[in-house]
Amino acid sequence: MFIINCPYCGDRDQTEFSCHGEAHIPRPTNTATMTDEEWGDYVFFRSNPKGYHRERWLHDHGCRRWFNALRHTVTDEFVATYKVQDPRPQIPGDGDQS
Amino acid sequence: MAGPSCRQSRYIDDFMKAYSLFSLARNAMSYHRNWQRAWRSPDPKSKYDVVIIGGGGHGLATAYYLATQCGINNVAVIEKGWLGGGNTGRNTTIVRSNYLLDASAGMYEHAMKLWEGLSQELNYNVMFSQRGLLHLAHSVHDMQEIGRRGNAIHLNGIDSEFLTPEQVKEMLPIINLNCRYPVMGGLLQKRGGTARHDAVAWGYARGADAAGVDIIQNCEVRGVRVESNTVVGVETSRGFIGAGKVGSVAAGHSSVIAEMAGFKMPLECYPLQALVSEPIKPIIDCVVMSNGIHVYVSQSDKGELVVGSGSDAYNSYSQRGSFDLIEHTVGPLCELFPLFSRLRMLRQWAGIVDVTVDRSPILSKTPVKNLYFNCGWGTGGFKATPGSGHAFAHSIAAGEMNEIAAPFSIDRFNSGALIDEGAAAAVAH
Amino acid sequence: MSQSQRLSQGGMIDRSKPISFAFDGRQYTGYQGDTLASALLANGVRLMGRSFKYHRPRGAIAAGSEEPNALVQLETGAYTEPNTRATCIELYDGLVAKSQNRWPSLEFDIGAVNSLVARFLPAGFYYKTFMWPASMWMTYEKFIRKAAGLGVSPVEDDPDVYHGTYAHCDVLVIGGGPAGISAATAAAGSGARVMLLDEGSEYGGALLGTSDNAAAKSYIDSALGALGQSENVRLLSRTTATGYYDYNYITALEKVTDHLGPGNGGDAPRQRFWKIRAKQVVIAAGSIERPLIFADNDRPGMMLANAVGVYINRYGVLPGNDVVVFTNNDSAYQVALDASAAGATVTVVDTRRNVSADLKSKLEQNNIRLFEGHAISSVQGGKGVESVRIMELSADGESLQGQAWEIVCTCVATSGGWTPSCHMFSQSGGKLKYEESIAGFIPDSSRAKNSCPNVSAGSCNGVFTTQECIAQGVEAGISAAGAAGRSGSVPSVDTFAVNEIPQGAIAPLWLVPTVHPVGEGKAKHFHDFQNDVTAADIHLAAREGFVSVEHLKRYTTTGMATDQGKTSNLNALAIMANIQGVSIPEVGTTTFRPPYTPLTLGAVGGQESRELFIQERKTPMHEHHVASGAVFEDVGDWKRPWYLPKEGEDMHAAVQRETLAVRESVGMLDASTLGKIDIQGKDAVKLLEMVYTNNWQKLAIGSCRYGLMLNEHGMIFDDGVTTRLGENHYHMTTTTGGAARVMNWLEEWLQTEWPEWEVYCTSVTEQWAVLAINGPKARDLLRDLTDIDVSKDAFPFMTMREGTVADVPARVYRISFTGELSYEINVPARYGKHLIEALTEAGKKYDLVPYGTETMHVLRAEKGFIIVGQDTDGTVTPHDMDMDWIVSKTKEEYLGNRAQARVDTRREKRPQLIGLLTEDPTVVLPEGAHIVAEVLDKPPMPTIGHVTSSYMSPNAGRSIALALLQDGINRKGETVSLSMMDGTVHKAKVTDTVFVDKEGVRVRG
């Protein structure tokens, strides 16, 4: 049972939130020219890492805002939460800002 | 590669050590000193014809059928922990084949038929109990769903019958028909039921071992070696193990194995939770599944109520899950069976389920030659264990997915030919 | 033999309050302050239960929640409760308990025959047999199931109520022994908001079992008194911390009124379930003594040494007049002294040869015999120990030697050392480390989980003297308070010392050597009492290769009983380690899974059942429907009128009447449940363009348009009518069940993909009450009640007008789901009841008929209008629905566009929506019936489609159906066969989907 720091509301109980999968997968703007493989990759294929994961959360029973989180999928611990338009926080121990 | 006659003789040898009432009595006379190891604990060889990654039920079944039916004995099963320690040992042991779609029916009924002779085939009592599995309908929409599915199952040649609320009450005298969403009917599969989950892993392990398969526990795969886009072996915590073919049956860790091999899978991992009550004398004789109220319960032979919970909706490899799901499992349970309220929860746990978008599994070739994946069983893999292993073994042996496995190819996520039981019927697996 | 074992004085029971109770039909007397177990022991009752597998006679071995044996069926009827630990049941007047898992009686149990054939029932025997003939398994299983289980479930509904509650604190202290009390005192003194939980009825933990309990009690009372006066402290006794979850979320079960007896709790709940979020946790959960494992160590009268001490000192009960203390460490010597002081004849058998001079002299002063380097070799007595034989241990401790001495005794107090209770720490995600000096696992604080800040103190952390526990408690309390941001001045915390002998140097002896090799004599060496798992079973598991700790556990079932291995797990690990020749930590530990002790289901979920399960949603017109005699249907969480039968009508008759009436005069339907979303902002139309398949740019203000929504798989997931209310203002409707889903869908895209767009979505489903009037007389009816010009030209089809209806403000949409002239009258929700009453009154002269959802379904099916979720199923494209007309050919982008072009989605011969007319017009096909490619004698038969909607249509004068059929659009005119479950075959003609008013004249009337 996590405590999640909503970037708009602050620390709240997990039961107020829902998770909506991997973040930073923009919808392609050239859908007409995409192959089935490219489209399938966008819709279905996920990194599903055993480690740090950037993901989307919704503060359902709160401000109803979507935001992003950086969380570790083994410890389930949050490193950071951030607004959709904010820069991505760094992965601990990783110099690369990807 | 060993020929069939060779297999045969090994197998006969093994039958001398077979389990039976007589061998039990004979061994009792010698104080059980002479039981053999259920399976050996060999050091890995430098190379195998086939390496199976993952010593759960599906992986062990794959190895068993490779060795006993496909003439491929030079097989290793590599398990990073202990056999059956993943979802095989963590599920709620439900077995059924009452699926809507033809592809699913093909797979799960194939499994069901194997279940029906499995204890005898393996000479290991997997306690497959065809006590009946009852789906409850709580709304007009549910009735339409079971109406469609019941007919589809029937026409696929699988047993299926509709029950009225009165017949449901007769099967389950303790049910509260008039719950928040009153029970309007039921769909019964009499051949459905439960099995002893650990025994399935152990039975297949023992059988595979007897047929020459090396089962290597405490051996973690750390890399997949690919040369010229062809798999040549796996790097493990016990060194490199060469392989002609590799079958990954790693369930919750399939994405990790895929990453080692350089591709992504259409999978996400979630915690799936379950709980058992303290043991009590028999009170519920069939498996009950209610998608309307969200109750999935049966009673183990030991007497515990085995209760399936839900999966948390966030990616996780932690095998923990959040407590609110347990609350939202117990509440409905007490709504449908109010007298359970005074019973007690003994233990809760979680597994990692690898889930595809259509909630159907993947049995498939991959972008890497000779590397095959069997994964994505999500919340419903246990029931498929024999069928999955059987189909995957024959497919690996042939180098092509067989008729039962073919619809579950990874290509469906590009073509759009999903096998979406959930969308089609709103059925939780 | 009334309370024959009750000491004449001492103990913390209230001798002025005798309590009568019944066990297995016999009446006994105990005292206020007793547990059921202590009261039974006081009455000389040692035999309290039977074991799971062999039905061996068993008595209580413990005095607390770790008890594996003394499980009883507490109370009867609706209040009955199986598997309740007698050691945790506080005695109350009139208590009724029965023993379990025996037939016909506890004394004479047929099931004990299992014990005679035990040789044939080693661990996992069932995997090796019961396989032939295959058909017999279900019969075998029936017997196995009956033999298994322990107590019986109630068969009546639970009459009790439970509460769930949340709490937050700075420092949660788990365990109210000396460490916990001190931690709470120190933390509270630092200014922290503190909660202190203890599972017992009294605080004090191990202190309650000490011989100088009067002094202990005054120490406890003074500490608790101070804590109780502190405003920032909450004390919860009878409260067990059951689970420790991420981010310091701790669950706890408070037994609020159990100790009063059934039905005596007044208004208070039976139990309360706490969900606590703590900034910091101090774990002071204590430790649990391990039994020594020797031949027939399960006979009633065998007890953990500390339990004997607790029964003597806390309850004033001497469990046996002749006591053998059997130990491998010092702590049991205090019990020997206490038993001696209580009047027992005591013999100490110590497996060690280096007992300290100090201890020896203490024994001598009390005339207690001591056998050093000895062990119990056998036990006499079936339903209760009568004597033990002891033999000398060889120098290497591997075997027994010499002559056996027989010692008469009725109680054996054994101690194999103390196991710190690491359950909570382990559940929090922390890792354990093995501590040789205490022969046990303790928390490795360096490997705690960051999100679960906690500190362990006291004997759960491996220190065993009261003073050390208090010191650790104080330190933990201060540091936890500090970490929670409370570091005020710390008061001095009292310390306290008692007569106690700590464990000291322990000489582990995990399995007492045996005369016969384990498993080969008649004796059994139990480590898991309840599940009847013996050392021989561990040997067998090792022999067969079940050596990993989880395999050991699962193969032998050790640690899986209702006590979850509290007294057995470490012993089992150690025996396996010895067999394997590896260290204990190399074997590993099993995971400590919640709950710590079994948790009442009603307490966890009780609040979510009955009327509080899922709230029923009712429309503002609900009362009117009830008064009209409506039968309701559950649609999502809503209650909707399904049909409104007149006297003597069944559902079919009512629906036929309603359906005809709508097309003949006028009918009304409560449509308030439809999802409604108010959309505003300058980019609103951009949103509509993206989420719907058709074009929205040119929709005029005041006009309505139907839209389909696709997901990114290209499949239909919702539909509805959206109306342009103003320049940048739209009113969207959704399906009833899809309202929340669509709202989230819009928001998700807006917030994550197009955050720069200026669009505001507001759910207004519950702000509007909606009544749909349908039928040729709808206009006349509306005209009587409105100031809106309802003439055909002024208010055409697919437009909206604002005005008043029945004198209240209204938006009226001229849209139709029936194909009739139709108006959907929306009024603010508070006028809903008024609206339907006004319509009902005004409608009399037009033969207005109220109708329900079933009639709505027939009417729309007559027109071939689809219901998303019934005629579509999440695998259906607009093309499959024969709805290409609604898919824009000109828009570049909209959600779901690309997916429709995939290989499979554009493949020919996908299932497509068609109409079906049965050859026999009276046959109404069952929904879900399948169309087969060819009719065979019996299944399997290949199928090519299925019926999605099917009704008797009074307006078409026959049955009608909609179906999804492979290549259906090209098959119109063909005849297909449908095979029923009972083997009947129906033939039907494939048609288009419109069965009434094919030209669509009526809707524009």
PDB file of all heavy atoms in Angstrom, chain B residues 32 120 129 180 301 327 335 341 344-345 348 423, chain C residues 81-82 119 141 158 245 275 543 610 614 873:
ATOM      1  N   HIS B  32      11.043 -46.519   4.735  1.00  0.00           N
ATOM      2  CA  HIS B  32      11.145 -45.468   3.713  1.00  0.00           C
ATOM      3  C   HIS B  32      12.585 -45.028   3.468  1.00  0.00           C
ATOM      4  O   HIS B  32      12.836 -43.924   3.015  1.00  0.00           O
ATOM      5  CB  HIS B  32      10.261 -44.267   4.086  1.00  0.00           C
ATOM      6  CG  HIS B  32       8.831 -44.631   4.293  1.00  0.00           C
ATOM      7  ND1 HIS B  32       7.997 -44.976   3.266  1.00  0.00           N
ATOM      8  CD2 HIS B  32       8.089 -44.764   5.428  1.00  0.00           C
ATOM      9  CE1 HIS B  32       6.804 -45.280   3.739  1.00  0.00           C
ATOM     10  NE2 HIS B  32       6.824 -45.181   5.057  1.00  0.00           N
ATOM     11  N   GLN B 120      -1.921 -40.948 -13.920  1.00  0.00           N
ATOM     12  CA  GLN B 120      -1.491 -42.265 -14.370  1.00  0.00           C
ATOM     13  C   GLN B 120      -0.291 -42.146 -15.305  1.00  0.00           C
ATOM     14  O   GLN B 120       0.666 -42.897 -15.208  1.00  0.00           O
ATOM     15  CB  GLN B 120      -2.647 -42.983 -15.075  1.00  0.00           C
ATOM     16  CG  GLN B 120      -3.759 -43.422 -14.118  1.00  0.00           C
ATOM     17  CD  GLN B 120      -4.578 -42.249 -13.564  1.00  0.00           C
ATOM     18  OE1 GLN B 120      -4.761 -41.238 -14.239  1.00  0.00           O
ATOM     19  NE2 GLN B 120      -5.054 -42.367 -12.341  1.00  0.00           N
ATOM     20  N   SER B 129      -9.024 -33.134  -9.571  1.00  0.00           N
ATOM     21  CA  SER B 129     -10.340 -33.351  -8.989  1.00  0.00           C
ATOM     22  C   SER B 129     -11.405 -32.690  -9.852  1.00  0.00           C
ATOM     23  O   SER B 129     -11.581 -31.473  -9.816  1.00  0.00           O
ATOM     24  CB  SER B 129     -10.347 -32.752  -7.580  1.00  0.00           C
ATOM     25  OG  SER B 129     -11.638 -32.735  -7.055  1.00  0.00           O
ATOM     26  N   ARG B 180     -26.051  -8.618  -3.669  1.00  0.00           N
ATOM     27  CA  ARG B 180     -26.183  -7.282  -4.267  1.00  0.00           C
ATOM     28  C   ARG B 180     -26.592  -7.361  -5.735  1.00  0.00           C
ATOM     29  O   ARG B 180     -27.399  -6.573  -6.209  1.00  0.00           O
ATOM     30  CB  ARG B 180     -24.851  -6.528  -4.107  1.00  0.00           C
ATOM     31  CG  ARG B 180     -24.702  -5.260  -4.933  1.00  0.00           C
ATOM     32  CD  ARG B 180     -25.658  -4.166  -4.494  1.00  0.00           C
ATOM     33  NE  ARG B 180     -25.473  -2.940  -5.227  1.00  0.00           N
ATOM     34  CZ  ARG B 180     -26.017  -2.668  -6.419  1.00  0.00           C
ATOM     35  NH1 ARG B 180     -26.785  -3.567  -7.014  1.00  0.00           N
ATOM     36  NH2 ARG B 180     -25.809  -1.511  -7.019  1.00  0.00           N
ATOM     37  N   ASP B 301      -8.299 -29.971  -0.787  1.00  0.00           N
ATOM     38  CA  ASP B 301      -8.508 -31.250  -0.109  1.00  0.00           C
ATOM     39  C   ASP B 301      -8.141 -31.156   1.360  1.00  0.00           C
ATOM     40  O   ASP B 301      -8.643 -31.897   2.190  1.00  0.00           O
ATOM     41  CB  ASP B 301      -7.676 -32.346  -0.794  1.00  0.00           C
ATOM     42  CG  ASP B 301      -8.305 -32.771  -2.113  1.00  0.00           C
ATOM     43  OD1 ASP B 301      -9.443 -32.351  -2.387  1.00  0.00           O
ATOM     44  OD2 ASP B 301      -7.660 -33.511  -2.873  1.00  0.00           O
ATOM     45  N   GLU B 327      -8.886  -6.729   0.660  1.00  0.00           N
ATOM     46  CA  GLU B 327     -10.176  -6.271   1.202  1.00  0.00           C
ATOM     47  C   GLU B 327     -11.286  -6.407   0.172  1.00  0.00           C
ATOM     48  O   GLU B 327     -12.395  -6.822   0.485  1.00  0.00           O
ATOM     49  CB  GLU B 327     -10.080  -4.806   1.631  1.00  0.00           C
ATOM     50  CG  GLU B 327      -9.148  -4.570   2.788  1.00  0.00           C
ATOM     51  CD  GLU B 327      -9.159  -3.095   3.186  1.00  0.00           C
ATOM     52  OE1 GLU B 327      -8.395  -2.337   2.561  1.00  0.00           O
ATOM     53  OE2 GLU B 327      -9.923  -2.722   4.080  1.00  0.00           O
ATOM     54  N   GLU B 335     -20.104 -11.433   0.863  1.00  0.00           N
ATOM     55  CA  GLU B 335     -21.405 -11.064   0.292  1.00  0.00           C
ATOM     56  C   GLU B 335     -22.075 -12.290  -0.334  1.00  0.00           C
ATOM     57  O   GLU B 335     -23.267 -12.517  -0.156  1.00  0.00           O
ATOM     58  CB  GLU B 335     -21.206  -9.958  -0.762  1.00  0.00           C
ATOM     59  CG  GLU B 335     -22.423  -9.594  -1.581  1.00  0.00           C
ATOM     60  CD  GLU B 335     -23.505  -8.878  -0.779  1.00  0.00           C
ATOM     61  OE1 GLU B 335     -23.244  -8.519   0.381  1.00  0.00           O
ATOM     62  OE2 GLU B 335     -24.612  -8.701  -1.314  1.00  0.00           O
ATOM     63  N   SER B 341     -18.007 -15.267   6.989  1.00  0.00           N
ATOM     64  CA  SER B 341     -17.544 -14.097   7.730  1.00  0.00           C
ATOM     65  C   SER B 341     -16.797 -14.462   9.014  1.00  0.00           C
ATOM     66  O   SER B 341     -15.868 -13.775   9.425  1.00  0.00           O
ATOM     67  CB  SER B 341     -18.765 -13.224   8.026  1.00  0.00           C
ATOM     68  OG  SER B 341     -18.508 -12.308   9.020  1.00  0.00           O
ATOM     69  N   ARG B 344     -11.471 -17.567   9.106  1.00  0.00           N
ATOM     70  CA  ARG B 344     -10.295 -16.706   9.166  1.00  0.00           C
ATOM     71  C   ARG B 344      -9.358 -16.927   7.992  1.00  0.00           C
ATOM     72  O   ARG B 344      -9.181 -18.036   7.506  1.00  0.00           O
ATOM     73  CB  ARG B 344      -9.558 -16.958  10.473  1.00  0.00           C
ATOM     74  CG  ARG B 344     -10.282 -16.391  11.683  1.00  0.00           C
ATOM     75  CD  ARG B 344      -9.495 -16.607  12.958  1.00  0.00           C
ATOM     76  NE  ARG B 344      -9.561 -17.975  13.376  1.00  0.00           N
ATOM     77  CZ  ARG B 344     -10.264 -18.413  14.434  1.00  0.00           C
ATOM     78  NH1 ARG B 344     -10.940 -17.563  15.170  1.00  0.00           N
ATOM     79  NH2 ARG B 344     -10.279 -19.686  14.743  1.00  0.00           N
ATOM     80  N   MET B 345      -8.758 -15.837   7.588  1.00  0.00           N
ATOM     81  CA  MET B 345      -7.738 -15.885   6.548  1.00  0.00           C
ATOM     82  C   MET B 345      -6.437 -16.348   7.187  1.00  0.00           C
ATOM     83  O   MET B 345      -6.005 -15.814   8.194  1.00  0.00           O
ATOM     84  CB  MET B 345      -7.592 -14.471   5.992  1.00  0.00           C
ATOM     85  CG  MET B 345      -6.467 -14.255   5.056  1.00  0.00           C
ATOM     86  SD  MET B 345      -6.697 -12.588   4.376  1.00  0.00           S
ATOM     87  CE  MET B 345      -5.100 -11.922   4.675  1.00  0.00           C
ATOM     88  N   GLN B 348      -1.875 -14.980   2.898  1.00  0.00           N
ATOM     89  CA  GLN B 348      -2.043 -14.310   1.614  1.00  0.00           C
ATOM     90  C   GLN B 348      -0.691 -14.236   0.920  1.00  0.00           C
ATOM     91  O   GLN B 348       0.348 -14.244   1.573  1.00  0.00           O
ATOM     92  CB  GLN B 348      -2.603 -12.896   1.807  1.00  0.00           C
ATOM     93  CG  GLN B 348      -1.679 -11.997   2.607  1.00  0.00           C
ATOM     94  CD  GLN B 348      -1.991 -10.530   2.477  1.00  0.00           C
ATOM     95  OE1 GLN B 348      -2.481  -9.916   3.399  1.00  0.00           O
ATOM     96  NE2 GLN B 348      -1.697  -9.970   1.324  1.00  0.00           N
ATOM     97  N   ALA B 423     -12.322  -9.278 -23.937  1.00  0.00           N
ATOM     98  CA  ALA B 423     -13.150  -8.325 -24.674  1.00  0.00           C
ATOM     99  C   ALA B 423     -14.404  -9.020 -25.158  1.00  0.00           C
ATOM    100  O   ALA B 423     -15.500  -8.478 -25.097  1.00  0.00           O
ATOM    101  CB  ALA B 423     -12.378  -7.765 -25.861  1.00  0.00           C
TER     102      ALA B 423
ATOM    103  N   GLU C  81     -17.285 -20.831  15.820  1.00  0.00           N
ATOM    104  CA  GLU C  81     -16.030 -20.343  15.252  1.00  0.00           C
ATOM    105  C   GLU C  81     -15.018 -21.487  15.335  1.00  0.00           C
ATOM    106  O   GLU C  81     -14.660 -21.907  16.434  1.00  0.00           O
ATOM    107  CB  GLU C  81     -15.579 -19.173  16.128  1.00  0.00           C
ATOM    108  CG  GLU C  81     -14.492 -18.338  15.583  1.00  0.00           C
ATOM    109  CD  GLU C  81     -13.978 -17.368  16.661  1.00  0.00           C
ATOM    110  OE1 GLU C  81     -14.682 -17.118  17.656  1.00  0.00           O
ATOM    111  OE2 GLU C  81     -12.854 -16.917  16.499  1.00  0.00           O
ATOM    112  N   PRO C  82     -14.593 -22.039  14.205  1.00  0.00           N
ATOM    113  CA  PRO C  82     -13.685 -23.182  14.252  1.00  0.00           C
ATOM    114  C   PRO C  82     -12.239 -22.774  14.527  1.00  0.00           C
ATOM    115  O   PRO C  82     -11.859 -21.607  14.355  1.00  0.00           O
ATOM    116  CB  PRO C  82     -13.801 -23.767  12.840  1.00  0.00           C
ATOM    117  CG  PRO C  82     -14.165 -22.608  11.982  1.00  0.00           C
ATOM    118  CD  PRO C  82     -14.986 -21.682  12.837  1.00  0.00           C
ATOM    119  N   ARG C 119       2.938 -45.665   9.565  1.00  0.00           N
ATOM    120  CA  ARG C 119       4.104 -46.105   8.825  1.00  0.00           C
ATOM    121  C   ARG C 119       3.879 -46.037   7.311  1.00  0.00           C
ATOM    122  O   ARG C 119       4.813 -45.864   6.532  1.00  0.00           O
ATOM    123  CB  ARG C 119       4.353 -47.533   9.239  1.00  0.00           C
ATOM    124  CG  ARG C 119       5.680 -48.063   8.856  1.00  0.00           C
ATOM    125  CD  ARG C 119       5.840 -49.344   9.615  1.00  0.00           C
ATOM    126  NE  ARG C 119       7.027 -50.037   9.220  1.00  0.00           N
ATOM    127  CZ  ARG C 119       7.360 -51.227   9.717  1.00  0.00           C
ATOM    128  NH1 ARG C 119       6.581 -51.813  10.610  1.00  0.00           N
ATOM    129  NH2 ARG C 119       8.454 -51.805   9.328  1.00  0.00           N
ATOM    130  N   GLU C 141     -10.982 -39.109  -2.868  1.00  0.00           N
ATOM    131  CA  GLU C 141     -10.875 -37.706  -2.473  1.00  0.00           C
ATOM    132  C   GLU C 141     -11.959 -37.331  -1.473  1.00  0.00           C
ATOM    133  O   GLU C 141     -11.721 -36.568  -0.536  1.00  0.00           O
ATOM    134  CB  GLU C 141     -10.952 -36.804  -3.706  1.00  0.00           C
ATOM    135  CG  GLU C 141     -10.647 -35.365  -3.362  1.00  0.00           C
ATOM    136  CD  GLU C 141     -10.914 -34.398  -4.492  1.00  0.00           C
ATOM    137  OE1 GLU C 141     -11.926 -34.557  -5.187  1.00  0.00           O
ATOM    138  OE2 GLU C 141     -10.089 -33.494  -4.681  1.00  0.00           O
ATOM    139  N   ASP C 158     -23.436 -14.807   9.761  1.00  0.00           N
ATOM    140  CA  ASP C 158     -22.766 -14.216  10.919  1.00  0.00           C
ATOM    141  C   ASP C 158     -23.632 -13.108  11.513  1.00  0.00           C
ATOM    142  O   ASP C 158     -23.948 -12.131  10.843  1.00  0.00           O
ATOM    143  CB  ASP C 158     -21.419 -13.644  10.448  1.00  0.00           C
ATOM    144  CG  ASP C 158     -20.540 -13.222  11.609  1.00  0.00           C
ATOM    145  OD1 ASP C 158     -21.055 -13.121  12.736  1.00  0.00           O
ATOM    146  OD2 ASP C 158     -19.342 -13.004  11.372  1.00  0.00           O
ATOM    147  N   TYR C 245       2.762  -3.821   5.364  1.00  0.00           N
ATOM    148  CA  TYR C 245       2.800  -3.637   3.923  1.00  0.00           C
ATOM    149  C   TYR C 245       3.627  -2.391   3.572  1.00  0.00           C
ATOM    150  O   TYR C 245       4.057  -1.653   4.456  1.00  0.00           O
ATOM    151  CB  TYR C 245       1.370  -3.528   3.370  1.00  0.00           C
ATOM    152  CG  TYR C 245       0.521  -4.727   3.760  1.00  0.00           C
ATOM    153  CD1 TYR C 245      -0.214  -4.735   4.947  1.00  0.00           C
ATOM    154  CD2 TYR C 245       0.503  -5.872   2.978  1.00  0.00           C
ATOM    155  CE1 TYR C 245      -0.959  -5.845   5.317  1.00  0.00           C
ATOM    156  CE2 TYR C 245      -0.244  -6.987   3.344  1.00  0.00           C
ATOM    157  CZ  TYR C 245      -0.972  -6.966   4.518  1.00  0.00           C
ATOM    158  OH  TYR C 245      -1.700  -8.065   4.893  1.00  0.00           O
ATOM    159  N   LYS C 275      -6.362  -0.023   9.981  1.00  0.00           N
ATOM    160  CA  LYS C 275      -5.413   0.170   8.893  1.00  0.00           C
ATOM    161  C   LYS C 275      -4.605   1.408   9.247  1.00  0.00           C
ATOM    162  O   LYS C 275      -5.137   2.518   9.250  1.00  0.00           O
ATOM    163  CB  LYS C 275      -6.167   0.325   7.571  1.00  0.00           C
ATOM    164  CG  LYS C 275      -6.809  -1.002   7.160  1.00  0.00           C
ATOM    165  CD  LYS C 275      -7.853  -0.852   6.094  1.00  0.00           C
ATOM    166  CE  LYS C 275      -9.228  -0.701   6.701  1.00  0.00           C
ATOM    167  NZ  LYS C 275     -10.305  -0.794   5.719  1.00  0.00           N
ATOM    168  N   ARG C 543      15.811 -37.180   1.296  1.00  0.00           N
ATOM    169  CA  ARG C 543      16.157 -38.364   0.502  1.00  0.00           C
ATOM    170  C   ARG C 543      15.593 -38.251  -0.904  1.00  0.00           C
ATOM    171  O   ARG C 543      16.210 -38.641  -1.884  1.00  0.00           O
ATOM    172  CB  ARG C 543      15.542 -39.576   1.215  1.00  0.00           C
ATOM    173  CG  ARG C 543      16.190 -40.891   0.964  1.00  0.00           C
ATOM    174  CD  ARG C 543      15.583 -41.930   1.898  1.00  0.00           C
ATOM    175  NE  ARG C 543      15.950 -41.715   3.289  1.00  0.00           N
ATOM    176  CZ  ARG C 543      15.111 -41.843   4.324  1.00  0.00           C
ATOM    177  NH1 ARG C 543      13.849 -42.184   4.139  1.00  0.00           N
ATOM    178  NH2 ARG C 543      15.529 -41.623   5.547  1.00  0.00           N
ATOM    179  N   ARG C 610     -23.177  -6.995   2.469  1.00  0.00           N
ATOM    180  CA  ARG C 610     -24.552  -6.608   2.747  1.00  0.00           C
ATOM    181  C   ARG C 610     -24.864  -5.252   2.097  1.00  0.00           C
ATOM    182  O   ARG C 610     -24.447  -5.002   0.986  1.00  0.00           O
ATOM    183  CB  ARG C 610     -24.806  -6.604   4.253  1.00  0.00           C
ATOM    184  CG  ARG C 610     -24.441  -7.994   4.842  1.00  0.00           C
ATOM    185  CD  ARG C 610     -24.701  -8.069   6.311  1.00  0.00           C
ATOM    186  NE  ARG C 610     -23.994  -9.235   6.854  1.00  0.00           N
ATOM    187  CZ  ARG C 610     -24.025  -9.613   8.122  1.00  0.00           C
ATOM    188  NH1 ARG C 610     -24.727  -8.946   8.992  1.00  0.00           N
ATOM    189  NH2 ARG C 610     -23.364 -10.675   8.518  1.00  0.00           N
ATOM    190  N   ILE C 614     -21.769  -2.679  -2.704  1.00  0.00           N
ATOM    191  CA  ILE C 614     -21.554  -1.615  -3.685  1.00  0.00           C
ATOM    192  C   ILE C 614     -22.851  -0.824  -3.688  1.00  0.00           C
ATOM    193  O   ILE C 614     -23.928  -1.388  -3.861  1.00  0.00           O
ATOM    194  CB  ILE C 614     -21.273  -2.179  -5.093  1.00  0.00           C
ATOM    195  CG1 ILE C 614     -19.886  -2.842  -5.123  1.00  0.00           C
ATOM    196  CG2 ILE C 614     -21.363  -1.085  -6.150  1.00  0.00           C
ATOM    197  CD1 ILE C 614     -19.575  -3.568  -6.397  1.00  0.00           C
ATOM    198  N   ASP C 873     -18.696  -6.549 -28.976  1.00  0.00           N
ATOM    199  CA  ASP C 873     -18.074  -7.220 -27.847  1.00  0.00           C
ATOM    200  C   ASP C 873     -16.597  -6.873 -27.684  1.00  0.00           C
ATOM    201  O   ASP C 873     -15.854  -7.616 -27.061  1.00  0.00           O
ATOM    202  CB  ASP C 873     -18.238  -8.733 -27.975  1.00  0.00           C
ATOM    203  CG  ASP C 873     -17.481  -9.296 -29.176  1.00  0.00           C
ATOM    204  OD1 ASP C 873     -16.769  -8.531 -29.849  1.00  0.00           O
ATOM    205  OD2 ASP C 873     -17.601 -10.501 -29.421  1.00  0.00           O
TER     206      ASP C 873
END
